[in-house]
């Protein structure tokens, strides 16, 4: 779980640090390993690419344009091999699409865990009512917790 970062200079620094560390490691390996160790080098490079991909992937998933900073989001990301997650994957319909997800039990009743629900700019007109009903069904007052994003949605 990680807090979303909305500051472009911080995001660029995160990504630069990942790449710089990988380049330094590669240079050190190239300097130290003799030519006869090509198989070990290939294995190492594969592992390095994995180790580089994970932080870049994480950074990408936990960053957003500064226009959304007022949302103060957190992202919960569940990592694992598909065969391990398979038994937990559920699906739901969203329009005419099937959306896979893994249900995560979050204690929304604990004070401070649910501070607000922001409905996206393209959600249907009844979305707020749906969220309000969901909150009330779980004995959570929607008063002061429910709002709609005013940021214009631009699909690219």
């Amino acid at each position: 779980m990680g807090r979303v970062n909305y500051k472009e200079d911080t995001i660029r620094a995160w990504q630069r640090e990942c790449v710089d560390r990988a380049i330094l490691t590669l240079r050190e390996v190239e300097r130290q390993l003799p030519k006869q160790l090509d198989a070990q080098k290939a294995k190492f490079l594969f592992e390095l690419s994995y180790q580089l991909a994970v932080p870049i992937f994480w950074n990408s998933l936990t960053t957003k344009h500064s226009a959304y900073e007022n949302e103060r989001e957190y992202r919960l990301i569940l990592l694992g091999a598909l065969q391990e997650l398979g038994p937990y994957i559920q699906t739901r319909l969203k329009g005419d699409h099937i959306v896979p997800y893994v249900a995560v039990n979050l204690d929304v009743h604990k004070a401070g865990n649910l501070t607000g629900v922001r409905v996206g700019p393209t959600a249907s007109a009844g979305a707020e009512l749906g969220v309000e009903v969901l909150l009330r069904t779980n004995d959570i007052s929607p008063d002061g917790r429910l709002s709609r994003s005013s940021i214009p949605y631009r699909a690219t």
Side-chain angles (χ1 to χ4, degrees), residues 80-96:
L82 188 56
Q83 62 268 25
E84 294 170 8
L85 295 176
Y88 305 100
I89 296 175
Q90 301 176 35
T91 58
R92 64 180 175 83
L93 282 176
K94 182 178 182 182
D96 59 349

Side-chain angles (χ1 to χ4, degrees), residues 44-152:
F44 170 80
L45 291 175
F46 176 80
E47 180 63 25
L48 179 66
S49 67
Y50 178 79
Q51 294 299 325
L52 178 61
V54 169
I56 288 177
F57 184 62
W58 174 260
N59 292 346
S60 298
L61 291 173
T62 57
T63 61
K64 215 168 171 183
H65 191 276
S66 60
Y68 297 91
E69 189 168 9
N70 68 327
E71 294 180 1
R72 300 187 333 245
E73 293 175 80
Y74 282 82
R75 297 277 169 89
L76 177 62
I77 302 164
L78 185 60
L79 301 174
L82 188 56
Q83 62 268 25
E84 294 170 8
L85 295 176
Y88 305 100
I89 296 175
Q90 301 176 35
T91 58
R92 64 180 175 83
L93 282 176
K94 182 178 182 182
D96 59 349
H97 295 11
I98 296 174
V99 178
Y101 69 95
V102 174
V104 177
N105 187 15
L106 297 174
D107 186 4
V108 295
H109 291 93
K110 186 176 177 186
N113 279 2
L114 178 65
T115 58
V117 178
R118 176 127 352 181
V119 177
T122 62
S124 67
E128 285 93 341
L129 179 59
V131 172
E132 184 176 335
V133 168
L134 176 66
L135 291 172
R136 289 190 191 282
T137 300
N138 286 281
D139 297 321
I140 300 170
S141 171
D143 299 338
R145 286 194 168 103
L146 186 57
S147 63
R148 182 175 283 265
S149 175
S150 60
I151 299 169

